């Protein structure tokens, strides 16, 4: 549950008719998207579909892309690339955190060994474009 008493974004609570109404899509379209593997709604013990808020957002995104003339295979590719970008961002965040922990440990080790000097640690600098990283070490 969220802080406002509503369901969590991933809680599968909406029946197909409600999901269709909330997204402006026909229930058969939702079933088709499921068959195509674009969406995977939750299921009840009896086999009924249940959609989450996250599912509704995905359905709206699919509808928006198709409304702009993108075919289903293009939509599939866009969603796949979007998922990859999200995964890479999370991995990058994890690696940055790991780097900071490693740098702190290295700093502590150098201080403990009495070899600490402000210019002995590598410095990471982002280029103007923000696309590359240069590692600088003093000579």
């Amino acid at each position: 549950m969220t802080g406002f008493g509503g369901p969590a974004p991933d809680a599968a609570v909406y029946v197909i008719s409600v999901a269709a109404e909330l997204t402006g899509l026909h229930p058969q379209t939702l079933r088709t998207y499921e068959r195509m593997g674009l969406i995977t709604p939750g299921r009840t013990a009896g086999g009924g579909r249940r959609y989450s808020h996250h599912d509704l957002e995905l359905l709206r995104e699919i509808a928006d892309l198709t409304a702009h003339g993108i075919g289903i295979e293009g939509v599939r590719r866009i969603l796949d690339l979007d998922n990859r970008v999200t995964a890479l961002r999370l991995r990058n965040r994890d690696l940055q955190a790991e780097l900071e922990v490693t740098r702190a440990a290295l700093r502590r080790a150098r201080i403990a060994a009495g070899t600490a000097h402000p210019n002995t640690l590598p410095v990471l600098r982002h280029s103007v474009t923000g696309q590359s990283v240069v590692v600088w070490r003093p000579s």
Side-chain angles (χ1 to χ4, degrees):
M1 295 293 249
T2 63
F4 297 106
D10 290 329
V13 295
Y14 303 103
V15 296
I16 193 167
S17 59
V18 173
E21 186 176 332
L22 291 172
T23 59
L25 298 170
H26 192 276
Q28 192 59 39
T29 303
L30 275 60
R31 291 182 191 97
T32 301
Y33 288 167
E34 181 183 1
R35 276 193 304 276
M36 298 173 106
L38 294 176
I39 191 155
T40 308
R43 294 285 182 162
T44 64
R49 292 171 179 85
R50 293 292 186 271
Y51 295 86
S52 68
H53 180 73
H54 180 264
D55 292 332
L56 298 181
E57 289 177 350
L58 180 57
L59 287 166
R60 287 183 188 115
E61 183 177 357
I62 293 168
D64 184 55
L65 290 169
T66 57
H68 283 90
I70 298 173
I72 292 298
E73 288 307 313
V75 169
R76 185 186 317 275
R77 183 73 175 139
I78 288 169
L79 294 176
D80 179 55
L81 290 171
D82 190 41
N83 289 335
R84 288 183 186 196
V85 167
T86 299
L88 288 170
R89 282 185 177 139
L90 292 172
R91 178 72 175 138
N92 188 39
R93 185 196 67 204
D94 292 345
L95 289 172
Q96 287 176 338
E98 184 179 333
L99 175 62
E100 289 305 315
V101 168
T102 303
R103 282 182 159 177
L106 179 59
R107 207 174 280 115
R108 286 190 304 273
R110 286 188 172 164
I111 289 170
T115 60
H117 186 276
N119 292 328
T120 59
L121 293 177
V123 176
L124 296 181
R125 297 178 191 248
H126 295 278
S127 70
V128 174
T129 63
Q131 300 275 333
S132 62
V133 176
V134 177
V135 178
W136 174 80
R137 292 187 176 90
S139 47

